Structures are given as C-alpha cells and as structure tokens.
Amino acid sequence: MKKELLLAHLRNIPDFPKPGIQFKDVSTLFKNPLCIREMLDEMVSLYKDKGITKVVGIESRGFVMGAILAAELGAGFVMCRKIGKLPGNTRKMSYGKEYGEDTIEIHTDAFSPTDVVLIHDDLLATGGSMKAAIDLVDSFGVRDIYVNFIIELRMEGLKGREFLGNRADITTLLTLFE
Ligand code: AMP
C-alpha cells in the first residue's frame, strides 16, 4: 500500500475541537480519488477472503469507506448511528466518554446469525466508541466480527487497541505516533 500517498493527503488540524487535540482530518483523503482507490484496494485485499457478509459503518466518517467497501466485497452495509437517528426498532449500547456518556444504535433486523461482520471507522483513539460497536454487534449473535480503521493513533496514554480486547480481529491502514 502507498502509505506515503495517504500520509501526504491526510490533514492535521491542531486544537480541534478543543485545545491540545491533533485532529486527523480524513476529508482530505476522501476528496482525492487516488487516495480513495488506494484505501479501497488495501481494504479489499485484507478482507476479500474472510467471507464478510455485512460491513458496519460508524457514524459518520465510517460510512464513506464502509459503504464502498461493502459494494466491492459483495456485502450489505449497516449504519451504526448516534441515538435518535434511525427510524425503525433499534438495539442500543451506551459507553462512557471523557465527559459524560454516549449511546449508539443499530436496527434490530440488521443481522442474521450467519453474518460475518466487518465494523469500520476512520480512526482509533481510546477505542471507546468501537468497543461499544463491537459489544452491540456481538449482542446480535453473529458468526464472526472483524474491525478496521483507516488510522490508529498510538500515543502516550492511548491504549485503544488493548481496550478493544480480542473479540475481533483488528487491522489499520496507517499507524500514527503523533
Ligand atoms: P475513540 O472512541 O476515542 O477511539 O474515538 C474515535 C472516534 O472519535 C472516531 O470516530 C474518530 O472519528 C474520532 N476521533 C477521536 N480522536 C480523533 C482525532 N485525534 N482526530 C480525528 N478524529 C478523532
């Protein structure tokens, strides 16, 4: 994979959304057709032999690559959304954040017991949101769960990968140390 191409197009925005955060802005990857193709080809090569039947995208940056990857893999696409956005009956999972709590949900009819699920998001930081998504998908009783991120942040005090445990096999396209 051409990591340099992706790194050259990833934008860092300091102090967003608050002082001290280095925000990794994937919109500059998404707007570049070569970067989309590079990410997609890599993700397809990682997952084409895994028998994936559903890709779950985490709102909202996980929807972009998640949906086109689903099409490439011949899988269905499922939205994991913040509470109150999905119109049908849903199953919910709450998780702790730095300040307060958040809840995500998925439609109750999203999976069947034979599904092999890939959950995708843009970035792994603390792992809090992905852990909640894994637990939520796991509660449906699917056959297997894989997890993919475009970016994994590895910094002092960030133990996202460890926090996710070993329920799901995890891959990331880029690992950043700052
Ligand atoms: P976490 O639950 O801490 O792993 O945070 C992951 C979610 O927050 C992802 O959906 C990211 O889009 C977003 N996020 C957290 N930290 C950053 C960052 N430094 N740059 C960009 N997005 C971030």
Side-chain angles (χ1 to χ4, degrees), residues 21-24 61 121-130 153:
I21 304 280
Q22 299 293 326
F23 192 86
K24 307 301 172 193
R61 289 180 290 269
D121 201 3
D122 67 326
L123 183 139
L124 170 63
T126 66
S129 50
M130 182 57 84
L153 287 187

Side-chain angles (χ1 to χ4, degrees), residues 100-116:
E101 195 173 77
D102 226 336
T103 301
I104 52 173
E105 56 186 352
I106 289 177
H107 276 140
T108 48
D109 60 0
F111 303 110
S112 72
T114 55
D115 272 329
V116 177

Side-chain angles (χ1 to χ4, degrees), residues 11 29 33 59 77 108 122 126 131 135 137 156 162 164:
R11 175 164 59 184
L29 294 177
E59 184 175 356
F77 180 73
T108 48
D122 67 326
T126 66
K131 178 71 167 63
D135 290 346
V137 172
E156 184 77 33
E162 291 78 354
L164 296 184

Side-chain angles (χ1 to χ4, degrees), residues 5-174:
L5 174 79
L6 301 183
L7 289 169
H9 285 86
L10 180 65
R11 175 164 59 184
N12 186 77
I13 301 191
D15 300 320
F16 182 87
K18 59 182 186 182
I21 304 280
Q22 299 293 326
F23 192 86
K24 307 301 172 193
D25 179 16
V26 289
S27 72
T28 44
L29 294 177
F30 294 159
K31 78 170 182 180
N32 182 295
L34 295 177
C35 291
I36 292 193
R37 176 47 62 191
E38 194 59 31
M39 291 188 286
L40 186 58
D41 287 350
E42 178 68 11
M43 290 157 85
V44 168
S45 76
L46 285 168
Y47 292 105
K48 64 181 185 327
D49 300 323
K50 305 287 191 206
I52 306 289
T53 56
K54 297 269 168 60
V55 178
V56 174
I58 299 187
E59 184 175 356
S60 59
R61 289 180 290 269
F63 290 172
V64 179
M65 294 307 300
I68 54 177
L69 177 62
E72 287 285 313
L73 293 176
F77 180 73
V78 169
M79 290 182 281
C80 178
R81 299 209 65 179
K82 311 250 167 66
I83 191 152
K85 309 274 188 182
L86 290 172
N89 291 331
T90 63
R91 190 178 282 217
K92 302 172 180 42
M93 185 66 63
S94 295
Y95 62 101
K97 303 224 308 185
E98 192 180 354
Y99 301 105
E101 195 173 77
D102 226 336
T103 301
I104 52 173
E105 56 186 352
I106 289 177
H107 276 140
T108 48
D109 60 0
F111 303 110
S112 72
T114 55
D115 272 329
V116 177
V117 179
L118 168 62
I119 313 175
H120 169 78
D121 201 3
D122 67 326
L123 183 139
L124 170 63
T126 66
S129 50
M130 182 57 84
K131 178 71 167 63
I134 293 170
D135 290 346
L136 180 53
V137 172
D138 202 20
S139 77
F140 283 82
V142 300
R143 185 182 292 170
D144 228 335
I145 303 176
Y146 294 86
V147 164
N148 169 263
F149 300 93
I150 299 171
I151 298 159
E152 175 177 3
L153 287 187
R154 300 245 17 133
M155 290 181 218
E156 184 77 33
L158 266 188
K159 298 217 176 330
R161 189 177 272 262
E162 291 78 354
F163 185 67
L164 296 184
N166 52 17
R167 172 65 183 91
D169 182 272
I170 304 163
T171 64
T172 57
L173 306 190
L174 299 172

